[in-house]
Amino acid sequence: MRRRSVLLVALLLAAVTLWRMRRRWAQYNARALEYFLAKLRRGNDETTSALESRLRATAQEAIRGVDRNKLAAFPQELDVSMSGGGFKTSYSAGVVLGLLAINEAYPKCARIVRWSGASAGAMMGLGCITSSFSKTLVWAFAVVVSDCRMLEPDCLCRS
Protein backbone atom coordinates (compact mmCIF):
# COMPACT_ATOMS: atom_id res chain seq x y z
CA MET A 1 0.00 0.00 0.00
CA ARG A 2 2.83 2.42 0.91
CA ARG A 3 4.62 1.67 -2.35
CA ARG A 4 1.46 2.47 -4.30
CA SER A 5 1.06 5.79 -2.44
CA VAL A 6 4.65 6.79 -3.19
CA LEU A 7 4.15 5.93 -6.86
CA LEU A 8 0.94 7.99 -7.00
CA VAL A 9 2.65 11.00 -5.42
CA ALA A 10 5.59 10.68 -7.83
CA LEU A 11 3.23 10.51 -10.82
CA LEU A 12 1.28 13.51 -9.56
CA LEU A 13 4.47 15.54 -9.13
CA ALA A 14 5.66 14.53 -12.60
CA ALA A 15 2.30 15.54 -14.12
CA VAL A 16 2.36 18.94 -12.39
CA THR A 17 5.97 19.53 -13.47
CA LEU A 18 5.20 18.62 -17.09
CA TRP A 19 2.13 20.84 -17.09
CA ARG A 20 4.16 23.80 -15.78
CA MET A 21 6.94 23.19 -18.32
CA ARG A 22 4.41 23.03 -21.16
CA ARG A 23 2.84 26.27 -19.97
CA ARG A 24 6.23 28.05 -19.80
CA TRP A 25 7.13 26.70 -23.24
CA ALA A 26 3.88 28.08 -24.67
CA GLN A 27 4.58 31.48 -23.08
CA TYR A 28 8.13 31.41 -24.44
CA ASN A 29 6.94 30.64 -27.98
CA ALA A 30 4.24 33.30 -27.81
CA ARG A 31 6.77 35.93 -26.69
CA ALA A 32 9.27 34.95 -29.37
CA LEU A 33 6.61 35.14 -32.09
CA GLU A 34 5.31 38.47 -30.76
CA TYR A 35 8.83 39.95 -30.75
CA PHE A 36 9.57 38.59 -34.24
CA LEU A 37 6.36 39.98 -35.73
CA ALA A 38 6.90 43.38 -34.08
CA LYS A 39 10.41 43.54 -35.57
CA LEU A 40 9.10 42.59 -39.02
CA ARG A 41 6.32 45.22 -38.83
CA ARG A 42 8.90 47.92 -38.10
CA GLY A 43 10.59 47.15 -41.39
CA ASN A 44 14.25 46.66 -42.10
CA ASP A 45 16.15 46.37 -38.86
CA GLU A 46 19.49 48.18 -39.10
CA THR A 47 21.13 45.90 -36.56
CA THR A 48 20.45 42.68 -38.44
CA SER A 49 21.12 44.24 -41.85
CA ALA A 50 24.47 45.51 -40.61
CA LEU A 51 25.26 42.13 -39.10
CA GLU A 52 24.34 40.34 -42.32
CA SER A 53 26.53 42.74 -44.31
CA ARG A 54 29.45 42.11 -41.95
CA LEU A 55 28.99 38.34 -42.17
CA ARG A 56 28.87 38.42 -45.97
CA ALA A 57 31.90 40.72 -46.14
CA THR A 58 33.83 38.43 -43.79
CA ALA A 59 32.97 35.41 -45.95
CA GLN A 60 34.03 37.25 -49.13
CA GLU A 61 37.27 38.37 -47.50
CA ALA A 62 38.02 34.81 -46.40
CA ILE A 63 37.68 33.38 -49.90
CA ARG A 64 39.91 36.03 -51.48
CA GLY A 65 42.91 34.30 -49.95
CA VAL A 66 41.94 30.83 -51.19
CA ASP A 67 44.25 29.38 -53.83
CA ARG A 68 42.53 29.09 -57.24
CA ASN A 69 43.94 25.57 -57.69
CA LYS A 70 42.09 24.47 -54.58
CA LEU A 71 38.90 26.01 -55.90
CA ALA A 72 39.34 24.11 -59.17
CA ALA A 73 39.14 20.88 -57.17
CA PHE A 74 36.00 22.08 -55.36
CA PRO A 75 32.73 20.37 -56.38
CA GLN A 76 30.62 22.29 -58.86
CA GLU A 77 27.29 21.25 -57.32
CA LEU A 78 26.52 20.75 -53.64
CA ASP A 79 23.72 19.41 -51.50
CA VAL A 80 23.46 21.16 -48.14
CA SER A 81 21.84 19.69 -45.06
CA MET A 82 21.60 21.72 -41.85
CA SER A 83 20.91 20.17 -38.49
CA GLY A 84 18.42 21.58 -36.04
CA GLY A 85 19.23 22.46 -32.50
CA GLY A 86 18.90 26.20 -32.21
CA PHE A 87 22.22 27.94 -32.29
CA LYS A 88 24.10 25.05 -33.87
CA THR A 89 22.62 26.50 -37.05
CA SER A 90 24.78 29.60 -36.58
CA TYR A 91 27.72 27.46 -37.60
CA SER A 92 25.77 26.07 -40.56
CA ALA A 93 24.76 29.57 -41.64
CA GLY A 94 28.39 30.68 -41.60
CA VAL A 95 29.41 27.73 -43.75
CA VAL A 96 26.56 28.39 -46.18
CA LEU A 97 27.44 32.10 -46.40
CA GLY A 98 31.00 31.02 -47.21
CA LEU A 99 29.77 28.66 -49.92
CA LEU A 100 27.54 31.38 -51.37
CA ALA A 101 30.50 33.78 -51.38
CA ILE A 102 32.60 31.19 -53.24
CA ASN A 103 29.81 30.76 -55.77
CA GLU A 104 29.48 34.53 -56.27
CA ALA A 105 33.22 34.93 -56.83
CA TYR A 106 33.60 31.74 -58.91
CA PRO A 107 30.24 30.88 -60.51
CA LYS A 108 31.36 27.39 -61.59
CA CYS A 109 32.09 26.35 -57.99
CA ALA A 110 29.88 25.53 -55.02
CA ARG A 111 26.48 25.94 -56.64
CA ILE A 112 24.01 24.69 -54.03
CA VAL A 113 21.51 22.47 -55.81
CA ARG A 114 19.45 20.98 -52.99
CA TRP A 115 18.75 22.13 -49.45
CA SER A 116 17.48 20.18 -46.49
CA GLY A 117 17.23 20.89 -42.81
CA ALA A 118 15.52 20.05 -39.59
CA SER A 119 13.90 22.53 -37.22
CA ALA A 120 16.12 25.63 -36.95
CA GLY A 121 18.29 24.24 -39.76
CA ALA A 122 15.30 24.30 -42.11
CA MET A 123 14.59 27.89 -41.08
CA MET A 124 18.21 28.88 -41.74
CA GLY A 125 18.18 27.11 -45.12
CA LEU A 126 14.96 28.88 -46.07
CA GLY A 127 16.51 32.21 -45.12
CA CYS A 128 19.54 31.51 -47.31
CA ILE A 129 17.64 30.20 -50.32
CA THR A 130 15.10 33.07 -50.33
CA SER A 131 17.77 35.72 -49.73
CA SER A 132 16.01 36.76 -46.52
CA PHE A 133 18.89 35.91 -44.24
CA SER A 134 18.42 39.11 -42.20
CA LYS A 135 14.85 38.07 -41.36
CA THR A 136 16.23 34.74 -40.19
CA LEU A 137 18.61 36.66 -37.93
CA VAL A 138 15.65 38.63 -36.56
CA TRP A 139 14.00 35.31 -35.66
CA ALA A 140 17.19 34.11 -33.94
CA PHE A 141 17.32 37.34 -31.93
CA ALA A 142 13.65 36.96 -31.02
CA VAL A 143 14.35 33.52 -29.61
CA VAL A 144 17.33 34.78 -27.59
CA VAL A 145 15.51 37.81 -26.21
CA SER A 146 12.43 35.75 -25.33
CA ASP A 147 14.57 33.10 -23.66
CA CYS A 148 16.36 35.76 -21.64
CA ARG A 149 13.03 37.22 -20.50
CA MET A 150 11.69 33.81 -19.52
CA LEU A 151 14.76 32.86 -17.51
CA GLU A 152 15.47 36.21 -15.89
CA PRO A 153 12.49 38.60 -15.90
CA ASP A 154 14.71 41.54 -14.90
CA CYS A 155 17.47 40.88 -17.43
CA LEU A 156 19.13 43.61 -19.43
CA CYS A 157 17.90 42.42 -22.81
CA ARG A 158 14.41 43.85 -22.28
CA SER A 159 13.35 46.15 -25.06
Side-chain angles (χ1 to χ4, degrees):
M1 182 70 173
R2 176 163 163 71
R3 188 178 203 187
R4 181 178 249 175
S5 297
V6 169
L7 183 61
L8 239 70
V9 169
L11 286 174
L12 180 64
L13 286 174
V16 169
T17 302
L18 288 174
W19 177 78
R20 289 185 73 203
M21 286 173 59
R22 186 197 153 289
R23 196 168 131 232
R24 284 180 61 88
W25 182 252
Q27 289 172 344
Y28 165 73
N29 283 332
R31 286 183 183 174
L33 184 60
E34 177 185 314
Y35 182 85
F36 178 62
L37 293 175
K39 286 285 212 179
L40 288 180
R41 283 188 204 112
R42 281 188 223 143
N44 194 8
D45 187 10
E46 292 177 20
T47 306
T48 53
S49 295
L51 179 59
E52 180 182 4
S53 297
R54 280 183 38 213
L55 290 171
R56 288 186 185 275
T58 301
Q60 290 169 351
E61 182 67 31
I63 65 154
R64 282 191 195 120
V66 175
D67 184 16
R68 286 184 180 260
N69 293 329
K70 289 183 180 179
L71 284 174
F74 209 81
Q76 290 183 354
E77 294 182 348
L78 299 171
D79 296 334
V80 174
S81 177
M82 296 188 204
S83 68
F87 287 101
K88 284 191 278 181
T89 56
S90 300
Y91 174 77
S92 300
V95 170
V96 167
L97 285 175
L99 292 172
L100 292 174
I102 290 171
N103 186 254
E104 288 172 10
Y106 307 98
K108 292 187 178 184
C109 293
R111 188 173 64 88
I112 300 174
V113 180
R114 286 178 288 274
W115 297 79
S116 66
S119 190
M123 183 87 168
M124 194 62 67
L126 181 65
C128 290
I129 200 169
T130 60
S131 300
S132 58
F133 188 70
S134 60
K135 289 180 182 174
T136 306
L137 288 176
V138 170
W139 173 250
F141 293 153
V143 171
V144 170
V145 169
S146 300
D147 190 36
C148 181
R149 288 180 184 164
M150 287 299 291
L151 297 175
E152 301 174 34
D154 298 325
C155 77
L156 298 174
C157 62
R158 281 183 180 256
S159 57

